[in-house]
Amino acid sequence: MKKKVIDDISRIVGDEFISTRPDVLLTYTQSASMASDPIMPGAVVRPANKEQVCEILKIAGENKIPVTPRSGGSSLQEEVIPEPDGLVVELMRLKEITLHKELRSVTVGAGVTFGELEKYLKEHDLLLPVYPESALVCTVAGNVSVNGAGPGSSLYGCIGELVLGIEVVLPDGTIITTGSEANPNASGPYQRYSFGPDITGLFIGSLGSFGIITKVSMKVYKRYKFYDYNTYGFETHEQSEHFMVDIKQHDINGIFTSLYEGPVLELFMDMIGEELGIPAHEWPFSTVSMTIGSVREDLMKSDAKLAKKLCVKNGGHVIGISQLPKQEWNGRLWFFVRACYVHGWHWRTLYHHQTPTNAHQSVEVIRKAMDKYGFLGHTAGFVSGHSSFNAYPHLYFDPQDPEDEQKIRDAHKELAKALFKTGAVPFKMAEYWSDAIEGMDSYMALLELVKKTIDSQKIMSPRKLGGI
Amino acid sequence: MDHSVVQKLTAIVGEEFISTRKDVLLTYSASASTSYDPVIPGAVVKPADTQEVSEILKIANEHKILVTPRAGGSSLQGEVIPKKDGLVIDLLRLTEIKVYQDLRSVTVGSGINFGNLDKFLNQYDLWLPVYPGSSLSATVVGNVAVNGSGFGSPKYGCIAELVLGLEVVLPNGEIIQTGSEANPNAPGPFLRYAFGPDLTGLFIGSLGVFGIITKVSLKIFKRMHHFDYNTYGFETPQEAEKFILQCKENEISATWISIYEGRILDFFLEMVGEEYGVPQHEWPPFTVSMVIGRVREDQLVSDSKAAKEICEQAGGHVIGIVELPREEWNDRMREFVRSSYIHGWHWRILYHHQTLSQWHRTLEEMWPIFDEFGVLGHTAGFQSGHSSYNYYPQIYYDPQDEEDEGKAKAAHKELAKRLFKTGAVPFKLAPYWVDGITEMEPYLEFLKGFRKAIDPNNIMSPSAIPRIEGEGE
Amino acid sequence: MTEVDLEELMENLAQCRRCGICRDAVYEKMGFDGVCPVWKNTAGFETSFMRGRIQVAIALIEGRLEKTEENAESLYTCTLCGSCTSICAAEFDPAKCLESVRQVLNEIPNETRDTIAKKIIENNNPYVDENKTRRNWVKEVGFDIPSTGEVLYFTGCTAGLKLPETAISTAKVLKAAGVDFAVLEDEPCCGSVMIRTGMVVEAKENAEKALDMILKSGAKKILVTCAGCLKTLREDFRERFGLDMPEVLHVVEYLQSLITSGKLKLKKSDKTQKITWHDPCHLGRALGVYEEPREVIKAIPGLELVEMNTNKEAAMCCGAGGGLRSYDSGLAKKIAADRIRDAEDTGAEILATACPFCEHNLKDGAASIESNIKVVDILDLLAQRLE
């Protein structure tokens, strides 16, 4: 990167917060994404506030320097791998949290992680009820830009559904605020759908392609006081899948509803069952693990009772092991990270969504790929909103065996195609989906038009969005 | 309109479904929006399906003909008033409905109104739980384009929050499907946030400026059969606001919550009280009328009890008059219309949202303006989602008295400005808001960029959001 | 074992899948309110916490990054406090691995590291030329201390040469408890800092010398007041160098039963002071000694123990460890100041610890922010309250 550019940026952020040292750049060549090729950026900058972000983007624009925004660096699908000699804008210094208690909302800077926010909100007896797997690392704003989901999503949907507005710096340096806060007189965020059309959505799942989100405003809720944890066993796919639909249809507050196939659950339990104190059990063909949460005890009890009834109605039986869902929920900031890393493998993931009644299709497609390519892995998933099911297949490989890694990359690619054919969809158009999608030309054309309109110089997160 | 264009359009839709007759055009020069100047378009077409809409837009784009899409024609803020010699595309023939029971969703063509859909879903014991005031004439698609709300919104928010995806024809004729159905293999609509970024939102509240929505897919729910109706009295607005906030925080499943200032309630009941069988009562300074709805009876009993407790904790008292909320709810597809027209006035409306905790601010601005401008009117509203309150002040005038109408228009304009200063927001950038708002230039510029990119010829819904249009018109 | 099995090390480093939990996790359930003190107190680039350091380490070892002093800076800008190890979701001890990495890469120039090692080899301590002065404090205790005996008080370089009050207090306390103990005439350094900074061959040479001197004193039991000495003598001497050591105990471990059983009599107090406890990394996370010092404090009349926001496994570091105090004293002080603020947040008047190295750095940290909190060694507290 040209010295002049570095000097200009240094003047904005101060020498301390920009680096071109090879050791520093090296650590920005990758993220938590595995089996991805590291790419060396030209500089990394850590701005302190939105004004600095704005100035930096202006300079990047003038010099046509590709920009990769980054915060927690925990993304798994190459979202923050930079461009060669590009600029990484790392946002962890934007740490502001503002609670709007009467508006039931909170505004957080791009450097605030779910873990930090959880601690903060807990002091006010509130919660942001969606926790991505990497909640201790990942920032709320980052999660909005990749549109994640996790525990809590079974009731509230993906993080996108909780957004009330954002503050974003556009590639030309313009700062806009969306939602009710677009009105500078507003007392805070209280309505996303203000001043329609809704432009907030454009930045949800945008993978940083349209600008840098510097703040997000989110709905918050009163913390649950009462929980029921239970496991429900089924002998067929249809039984467990219809049970999941029934739960939603009967207005049961299942805040986290996971579905595990027998062998997958056995694998998980082998890894962390003992550590989490989950009793040994002959798990059935498929198991639904559900946490019901409520602010009122009688509602929770009523839900728990009805869930049991619906389980039996669908041909299942109540297993009664509460430790699994309890650990999933109570350990929600930790459980998944632990399960992802305890086994020692490296892996690629392929987050996607099915309809609940199609959940088994993902399992079948993944099993086929495992047989064909001869790799280890698994998939499980959870109800992720009104009628979707978020599956998170892991494809294991040995990082010290390049052949093994290549196999996984190939399998991953093919799997995306096969999943697309089953009707699965991703929350966001991550790069690898672009090869998998067929029959979406006009959609992609519109996306490209949007990109061209907002980022005419194409400096923001190049390639990330479906390759455009 | 140029004859050759009319011929081309005729070739697409067939002679029966295009008209340039004066009497027909006259009926498309206005809508339910009162106090808007009628404008005679050049032609009206009624396409049968998405493909025809696409063909029509290609022609319009080629000839730079100004297009105004229209469905129910029930909008109140001038959204479908056409341009002189422009083309009105009436979408009422797109009447497809498809329910996906396992996906808890439904897809409707742009000709389906809330009344049609409610009847259809009732067969499956399902519903789309947001009912705008004009449910019997407003189409679901049209409501998405203006982003409405109504009965059911306290629990489910505005209609936008129920959208799972839509099919839209861009000004160049390109057909786009958003949401999970963007995947042609998808078994139906099950997720809005698919293939992010969320493109669906761009068309919600867009007032037709980016294209014509031909289909929309929405979340549906099992129909509630257990309801509790009650009224709660308070001495101060703060108490009433606190009551509602706590009901929301404590998972009270309220499908309808309305706060009435004493004098407005008296006025309202004078109009429809007897008709709805609401008993005479000395109403307190502030009354909350609430409907709690549940799928399960035990939940309802619990909610009802909890609401009463919360009311008393907030410093209020349970009035116990059930007829008001019950009749409002049961007549939800007609009640707004009835109370809006029973009095005989014409009026201008100014939909907007306040925060729940600022409910009283709108009244504080509105009454003095009414005095200043010497107009009559009132406002009612309802809680509309996570923490907002939807207001719909109506400013009355006599349609046969030009001066009176002028006063209403002026008061309307001033009210928009002052409400903006209180921090109120509209669901969509309707024209009169654009005048009232300040310090939002970057936001408007952003939209302008889109408008230019998506509709370079500026043909779609001209003047619907004036400040985002290019200069080339 | 002074040789690092490189293959095993690389396998271990591959356990890091860069999730980043070692940066700033806030996780109440495990007691964490942040993880890496270096990340928090520097410009905060990825190189400043473990995920980045491991990437740098792998690249240096594999030759993808040139082995220069600057490129290795991040490897040394770490206190090895082990906070990251406590929260790491993988089966992996990143802090321990980094120690091995420093060893494998010790050909990379690093003047600070080399100077310390040289001084220790030459002088038996990292601080002064004349090592014998480290026994000067003995003259001030008011009784004679032999240089041989079954119980050896191994003072450590910092207490001996920088904070003799701790040594004096320890001697008084041991005497009051009726313990006959010895202090070596020309006490060597335990060599902890050499091990931490990768100078393991030198550390082994030093350890053998030290053991020889210790054994010559007739020691059957070694008491220490420094957490670093404890970890090194108890664990590293045996595990790394295969040396057969007598039992090594921290005085707080040794005294706990004497105090709680009332054998060591302490003065009553009519006022109550709030006190908080800083877990030295080498005492706590490394060896799991959490309860003993707390029990000791609770047994001291007039003290009310209040915990800091982060404590035990999740305790933030004082900033001195892993060679950081020498390598980047400014940063070490900043980290210490942070820890002082944690202590102040509890409302305590006293911050106690059981490691002169921690104490020394925390005092500097307190001075840098003009804090009034009293930083003391737990032995000083005991000594003041002897009957």
Side-chain angles (χ1 to χ4, degrees):
Chain A
M1 197 170 290
K2 278 185 278 180
K3 185 167 178 306
K4 165 96 173 48
V5 174
I6 305 291
D7 289 346
D8 288 349
I9 298 177
S10 298
R11 268 193 289 280
I12 297 163
V13 295
D15 290 343
E16 192 188 354
F17 293 109
I18 178 162
S19 183
T20 54
R21 282 172 51 158
D23 61 326
V24 173
L25 296 184
L26 177 98
T27 58
Y28 287 89
T29 58
Q30 311 187 75
S31 64
S33 306
M34 290 166 265
S36 56
D37 298 322
I39 294 174
M40 212 50 160
V44 184
V45 57
R46 303 189 75 231
N49 52 46
K50 65 166 187 272
E51 289 78 16
Q52 291 188 359
V53 173
C54 160
E55 294 303 315
I56 291 166
L57 283 189
K58 280 183 190 162
I59 292 173
E62 278 162 26
N63 294 279
K64 295 198 172 52
I65 294 166
V67 171
T68 304
R70 161 177 176 137
S71 49
S74 59
S75 58
L76 296 167
Q77 304 184 116
E78 308 185 358
E79 291 89 336
V80 298
I81 310 277
E83 289 295 290
D85 204 33
L87 179 66
V88 175
V89 180
E90 201 240 66
L91 300 155
M92 292 304 288
R93 290 176 70 205
L94 281 70
K95 284 282 187 202
E96 207 181 329
I97 303 181
T98 312
L99 180 65
H100 313 274
K101 214 166 180 179
E102 302 223 304
L103 308 182
R104 308 175 71 211
S105 63
V106 71
T107 303
V108 295
V112 175
T113 65
F114 283 85
E116 288 170 305
L117 183 59
E118 167 78 358
K119 183 187 169 198
Y120 176 88
L121 290 176
K122 199 176 168 205
E123 286 163 15
H124 301 275
D125 199 26
L126 296 169
L127 54 69
L128 171 66
V130 168
Y131 299 83
E133 286 181 3
S134 51
L136 295 180
V137 187
C138 127
T139 63
V140 181
N143 202 245
V144 167
S145 68
V146 304
N147 198 14
S153 288
S154 302
L155 190 60
Y156 292 95
C158 57
I159 198 82
E161 308 223 24
L162 297 176
V163 178
L164 283 170
I166 58 164
E167 177 188 86
V168 63
V169 183
L170 299 178
D172 66 358
T174 308
I175 302 169
I176 56 175
T177 308
T178 71
S180 51
E181 285 172 297
N183 181 345
N185 307 297
S187 55
Y190 64 97
Q191 176 57 263
R192 166 170 164 189
Y193 294 94
S194 306
F195 306 103
D198 166 53
I199 55 180
T200 306
L202 271 184
F203 298 92
I204 296 175
S206 67
L207 305 173
S209 301
F210 304 142
I212 295 185
I213 301 176
T214 44
K215 267 187 204 166
V216 289
S217 294
M218 313 294 296
K219 297 179 184 173
V220 295
Y221 296 82
K222 200 166 160 181
R223 282 184 100 78
Y224 308 115
K225 296 275 181 307
F226 303 96
Y227 292 99
D228 177 76
Y229 308 99
N230 217 331
T231 38
Y232 310 83
F234 301 92
E235 294 313 315
T236 68
H237 294 302
E238 289 70 25
Q239 289 174 357
S240 51
E241 289 169 357
H242 280 111
F243 173 65
M244 293 193 292
V245 176
D246 256 0
I247 289 294
K248 301 288 298 179
Q249 217 43 347
H250 286 83
D251 208 11
I252 287 172
N253 258 17
I255 51 179
F256 197 49
T257 312
S258 300
L259 174 68
Y260 297 97
E261 285 233 315
V264 174
L265 191 52
E266 300 285 350
L267 176 75
F268 278 175
M269 291 303 103
D270 272 353
M271 295 190 302
I272 51 169
E274 208 180 297
E275 183 176 323
L276 299 175
I278 296 161
H281 184 70
E282 283 277 324
W283 296 97
F285 176 81
S286 76
T287 298
V288 172
S289 166
M290 180 162 69
T291 297
I292 295 169
S294 178
V295 297
R296 281 153 51 204
E297 189 173 15
D298 57 347
L299 292 183
M300 177 277 288
K301 284 188 170 158
S302 164
D303 279 1
K305 201 172 139 199
L306 183 58
K308 286 182 188 168
K309 227 163 106 184
L310 293 174
C311 167
V312 174
K313 189 198 102 185
N314 280 290
H317 69 285
V318 178
I319 299 176
I321 292 181
S322 62
Q323 290 90 338
L324 174 60
K326 195 169 180 177
Q327 288 289 359
E328 286 175 329
W329 180 256
N330 287 342
R332 62 195 177 277
L333 286 88
W334 167 257
F335 179 94
F336 297 95
V337 194
R338 181 69 179 144
C340 283
Y341 296 122
V342 63
H343 48 64
W345 294 98
H346 281 220
W347 38 268
R348 283 206 130 197
T349 191
L350 219 168
Y351 289 120
H352 65 276
H353 298 260
Q354 289 282 8
T355 71
T357 45
N358 246 347
H360 61 279
Q361 289 227 30
S362 286
V363 179
E364 278 162 24
V365 166
I366 289 154
R367 199 174 291 139
K368 263 188 214 152
M370 282 167 68
D371 288 347
K372 181 176 164 190
Y373 284 89
F375 65 88
L376 289 176
H378 69 80
T379 190
F382 53 91
V383 175
S384 55
H386 187 74
S387 54
S388 59
F389 179 85
N390 187 343
Y392 49 92
H394 282 193
L395 289 65
Y396 295 156
F397 67 93
D398 173 356
Q400 287 165 318
D401 177 349
E403 205 177 296
D404 200 33
E405 182 173 331
Q406 190 52 49
K407 197 164 72 180
I408 290 306
R409 290 189 186 210
D410 296 341
H412 188 268
K413 209 165 184 167
E414 184 172 316
L415 198 50
K417 280 186 192 162
L419 285 168
F420 185 80
K421 292 220 165 64
T422 67
V425 301
F427 268 150
K428 64 267 180 181
M429 192 71 94
E431 204 176 336
Y432 57 84
W433 282 102
S434 62
D435 291 335
I437 56 176
E438 266 171 36
M440 285 183 62
D441 294 350
S442 55
Y443 187 93
M444 290 308 289
L446 178 59
L447 215 49
E448 264 183 65
L449 180 70
V450 172
K451 170 75 177 170
K452 212 175 110 191
T453 308
I454 306 180
D455 182 16
S456 56
Q457 308 230 55
K458 297 192 174 163
I459 60 165
M460 289 305 308
S461 297
R463 294 181 293 111
K464 295 292 176 280
L465 197 62
I468 62 174
Chain B
M1 192 172 292
D2 188 273
H3 183 66
S4 69
V5 174
V6 174
Q7 270 188 326
K8 282 183 192 167
L9 295 173
T10 309
I12 297 165
V13 295
E15 272 179 40
E16 194 186 351
F17 295 109
I18 179 163
S19 181
T20 53
R21 279 172 52 163
K22 283 198 174 127
D23 59 332
V24 173
L25 297 182
L26 177 83
T27 58
Y28 285 90
S29 68
S31 66
S33 307
T34 44
S35 181
Y36 283 85
D37 299 327
V39 180
I40 303 278
V44 183
V45 282
K46 295 194 74 186
D49 54 30
T50 307
Q51 208 48 50
E52 288 189 8
V53 173
S54 164
E55 299 297 320
I56 292 166
L57 281 187
K58 280 180 192 162
I59 302 289
N61 203 28
E62 188 188 324
H63 297 275
K64 298 195 170 56
I65 292 166
L66 304 180
V67 171
T68 301
R70 166 180 171 132
S74 59
S75 59
L76 297 169
Q77 304 183 117
E79 289 91 336
V80 298
I81 311 279
K83 282 284 154 185
K84 191 168 178 299
D85 207 32
L87 177 65
V88 174
I89 303 182
D90 176 329
L91 298 157
L92 287 175
R93 287 177 70 209
L94 281 73
T95 52
E96 203 185 335
I97 305 185
K98 195 164 178 195
V99 67
Y100 303 87
Q101 286 199 73
D102 277 356
L103 308 185
R104 309 174 68 220
S105 63
V106 69
T107 303
V108 295
S110 53
I112 294 295
N113 68 39
F114 286 85
N116 304 144
L117 181 60
D118 196 55
K119 184 181 174 198
F120 176 84
L121 290 176
N122 205 2
Q123 304 170 82
Y124 301 93
D125 200 26
L126 297 168
W127 67 1
L128 172 69
V130 169
Y131 297 84
S134 50
S135 283
L136 297 179
S137 54
T139 62
V140 180
V141 165
N143 200 246
V144 168
V146 303
N147 196 18
S149 60
F151 287 95
S153 286
K155 185 171 170 75
Y156 296 97
C158 57
I159 195 82
E161 309 219 26
L162 298 178
V163 175
L164 284 170
L166 42 81
E167 180 189 76
V168 62
V169 184
L170 300 184
N172 63 6
E174 206 54 75
I175 302 165
I176 310 278
Q177 174 65 55
T178 71
S180 52
E181 288 169 295
N183 180 345
N185 308 297
F190 64 96
L191 185 67
R192 167 168 164 190
Y193 293 93
F195 305 103
D198 167 50
L199 294 179
T200 307
L202 261 189
F203 301 94
I204 296 175
S206 68
L207 304 173
V209 297
F210 298 138
I212 295 183
I213 306 173
T214 43
K215 268 185 206 166
V216 59
S217 298
L218 297 122
K219 297 178 185 175
I220 52 174
F221 298 81
K222 199 167 148 87
R223 227 176 161 83
M224 292 172 179
H225 293 294
H226 304 284
F227 294 98
D228 174 84
Y229 309 98
N230 218 329
T231 38
Y232 311 82
F234 302 90
E235 295 303 313
T236 67
Q238 285 77 15
E239 285 172 3
E241 289 160 9
K242 189 176 163 201
F243 166 64
I244 297 174
L245 194 63
Q246 295 204 347
C247 281
K248 294 206 70 84
E249 284 194 337
N250 286 289
E251 290 179 26
I252 307 284
S253 177
T255 55
W256 181 245
I257 306 173
S258 203
I259 315 180
Y260 290 99
E261 197 188 22
R263 55 177 148 168
I264 291 177
L265 186 54
D266 288 339
F267 169 73
F268 180 71
L269 290 178
E270 230 172 80
M271 297 193 299
V272 294
E274 212 180 293
E275 193 171 320
Y276 283 158
V278 181
Q280 290 293 327
H281 184 72
E282 279 282 324
W283 297 97
F286 299 92
T287 298
V288 172
S289 169
M290 182 158 81
V291 178
I292 302 170
R294 282 287 193 179
V295 172
R296 285 144 50 198
E297 195 174 359
D298 63 339
Q299 295 174 307
L300 182 78
V301 172
S302 168
D303 276 3
S304 162
K305 194 171 148 244
K308 286 177 187 160
E309 284 165 14
I310 293 169
C311 169
E312 268 147 33
Q313 279 160 21
H317 70 284
V318 180
I319 298 175
I321 291 181
V322 304
E323 289 82 358
L324 175 62
R326 190 183 68 203
E327 294 310 310
E328 283 187 305
W329 178 257
N330 286 340
D331 196 29
R332 62 188 176 278
M333 290 198 269
R334 203 187 73 112
E335 187 269 345
F336 277 131
V337 190
R338 181 68 183 143
S339 61
S340 293
Y341 298 127
I342 186 172
H343 49 63
W345 296 98
H346 279 217
W347 36 265
R348 284 208 130 197
I349 198 161
L350 195 74
Y351 286 118
H352 66 276
H353 298 260
Q354 285 284 10
T355 73
L356 181 52
S357 50
Q358 287 220 58
W359 173 85
H360 56 283
R361 289 290 291 118
T362 285
L363 296 182
E364 286 170 10
E365 296 299 332
M366 186 188 78
W367 293 126
I369 285 183
F370 283 8
D371 289 346
E372 254 171 71
F373 287 82
V375 290
L376 287 176
H378 75 88
T379 189
F382 52 90
Q383 207 279 320
S384 57
H386 191 69
S387 57
S388 58
Y389 194 88
N390 188 342
Y391 265 113
Y392 45 97
Q394 295 183 350
I395 304 172
Y396 296 155
Y397 66 92
D398 173 355
Q400 287 159 323
D401 177 346
E402 263 181 48
E403 200 189 323
D404 200 32
E405 185 173 341
K407 274 196 291 197
K409 278 187 181 176
H412 186 266
K413 206 167 178 168
E414 181 61 20
L415 186 57
K417 277 186 194 158
R418 292 200 204 166
L419 287 173
F420 185 78
K421 293 267 184 259
T422 69
V425 300
F427 269 148
K428 62 269 179 181
L429 274 169
Y432 54 86
W433 276 105
V434 183
D435 289 340
I437 62 185
T438 49
E439 299 165 72
M440 280 184 62
E441 280 71 21
Y443 189 99
L444 290 166
E445 279 301 311
F446 182 76
L447 283 174
K448 197 168 172 177
F450 272 110
R451 164 72 179 199
K452 203 174 152 196
I454 298 180
D455 183 13
N457 293 327
N458 257 325
I459 62 164
M460 284 305 308
S461 297
S463 308
I465 310 181
R467 267 170 64 186
I468 71 164
E469 285 172 18
E471 281 76 40
E473 204 182 327
Chain C
M1 300 262 217
T2 47
E3 284 296 302
V4 174
D5 180 338
L6 193 58
E7 203 175 315
E8 192 188 320
L9 176 62
M10 291 309 276
E11 241 172 67
N12 269 321
L13 293 174
Q15 282 300 306
C16 173
R17 276 147 285 177
R18 303 183 295 270
C19 77
I21 209 167
C22 49
R23 180 186 57 223
D24 60 341
V26 175
Y27 188 31
E28 202 183 4
K29 214 171 161 227
M30 286 169 78
F32 281 89
D33 189 17
V35 179
C36 183
V38 172
W39 181 79
K40 200 176 161 202
N41 288 285
T42 57
F45 288 102
E46 283 275 321
T47 34
S48 65
F49 66 103
M50 199 47 100
R51 167 169 77 177
R53 290 185 195 118
I54 288 172
Q55 290 177 67
V56 169
I58 295 172
L60 285 169
I61 293 172
E62 288 181 349
R64 283 184 288 114
L65 192 63
E66 204 190 335
K67 292 187 176 68
T68 65
E69 197 167 348
E70 185 180 87
N71 284 342
E73 186 187 333
S74 62
L75 306 185
Y76 293 95
T77 313
C78 171
T79 64
L80 300 177
C81 72
S83 192
C84 50
T85 300
S86 283
I87 201 166
C88 182
E91 289 298 295
F92 170 49
D93 184 339
K96 203 165 181 176
C97 283
L98 186 63
E99 228 174 74
S100 302
V101 166
R102 289 176 175 185
Q103 184 182 346
V104 168
L105 294 173
N106 67 8
E107 86 235 47
I108 300 176
N110 180 330
E111 206 189 312
T112 313
R113 172 197 66 198
D114 295 349
T115 310
I116 297 174
K118 190 163 163 268
K119 280 189 180 166
I120 293 173
I121 294 292
E122 287 174 1
N123 303 332
N124 275 338
N125 77 74
Y127 300 125
V128 297
D129 293 343
E130 189 39 76
N131 192 50
K132 290 211 163 149
T133 58
R134 73 191 292 158
R135 211 176 186 275
N136 287 353
W137 61 269
V138 171
K139 295 170 203 147
E140 293 172 46
V141 298
F143 55 87
D144 284 338
I145 301 173
S147 56
T148 58
E150 289 198 355
V151 176
L152 176 70
Y153 169 37
F154 188 93
T155 325
C157 304
T158 308
L161 293 162
K162 296 273 181 186
L163 297 169
E165 315 84 73
T166 305
I168 296 166
S169 296
T170 307
K172 287 181 180 165
V173 169
L174 288 174
K175 168 99 173 160
V179 182
D180 292 326
F181 65 96
V183 170
L184 291 180
E185 204 55 58
D186 186 10
E187 187 185 87
C189 174
C190 71
S192 176
V193 68
M194 291 196 278
I195 299 173
R196 310 305 151 219
T197 57
M199 306 298 276
V200 178
V201 174
E202 294 78 356
K204 186 174 185 232
E205 186 189 318
N206 176 71
E208 282 161 353
K209 179 170 74 182
L211 177 63
D212 190 46
M213 292 166 81
I214 289 167
L215 292 178
K216 277 185 184 147
S217 76
K220 299 229 163 58
K221 193 188 284 290
I222 305 168
L223 300 181
V224 297
T225 47
C226 172
C229 295
L230 180 70
K231 154 120 171 62
T232 308
L233 298 177
R234 183 191 282 179
E235 202 175 82
D236 292 311
F237 273 35
R238 185 169 303 135
E239 287 178 12
R240 284 179 176 269
F241 308 134
L243 302 177
D244 203 6
M245 287 287 289
E247 189 185 12
V248 187
L249 289 171
H250 195 286
V251 178
V252 291
E253 295 175 285
Y254 185 63
L255 288 179
Q256 193 207 334
S257 61
L258 295 176
I259 293 167
T260 46
S261 67
K263 277 187 190 155
L264 184 68
K265 296 262 185 296
L266 298 171
K267 278 189 278 198
K268 296 273 170 289
S269 169
D270 47 8
K271 62 169 191 165
T272 305
Q273 279 182 301
K274 272 192 186 171
I275 182 169
T276 190
W277 175 251
H278 169 75
D279 290 285
C281 303
H282 278 149
L283 190 63
R285 271 186 291 264
L287 298 171
V289 181
Y290 296 117
E291 295 312 323
E292 293 85 342
R294 287 177 170 78
E295 289 306 316
V296 169
I297 287 176
K298 284 182 202 159
I300 301 176
L303 293 182
E304 182 203 342
L305 178 65
V306 287
E307 292 289 353
M308 282 190 265
N309 187 17
T310 63
N311 55 66
K312 300 184 185 170
E313 286 87 350
M316 287 307 257
C317 174
C318 75
L324 188 70
R325 197 180 146 90
S326 310
Y327 189 71
D328 186 345
S329 63
L331 173 59
K333 260 177 236 170
K334 262 171 122 177
I335 295 172
D338 233 22
R339 192 58 175 158
I340 294 291
R341 281 184 210 104
D342 287 350
E344 284 181 332
D345 288 345
T346 65
E349 294 167 56
I350 307 167
L351 167 62
T353 189
C355 174
F357 207 53
C358 293
E359 184 193 343
H360 196 199
N361 203 47
L362 288 169
K363 279 182 166 154
D364 285 352
S368 75
I369 57 166
E370 293 170 11
S371 170
N372 291 324
I373 203 161
K374 239 172 94 188
V375 181
V376 300
D377 193 286
I378 190 167
L379 270 307
D380 295 331
L381 280 179
L382 284 167
Q384 284 159 17
R385 285 165 173 78
L386 289 175
E387 275 196 342

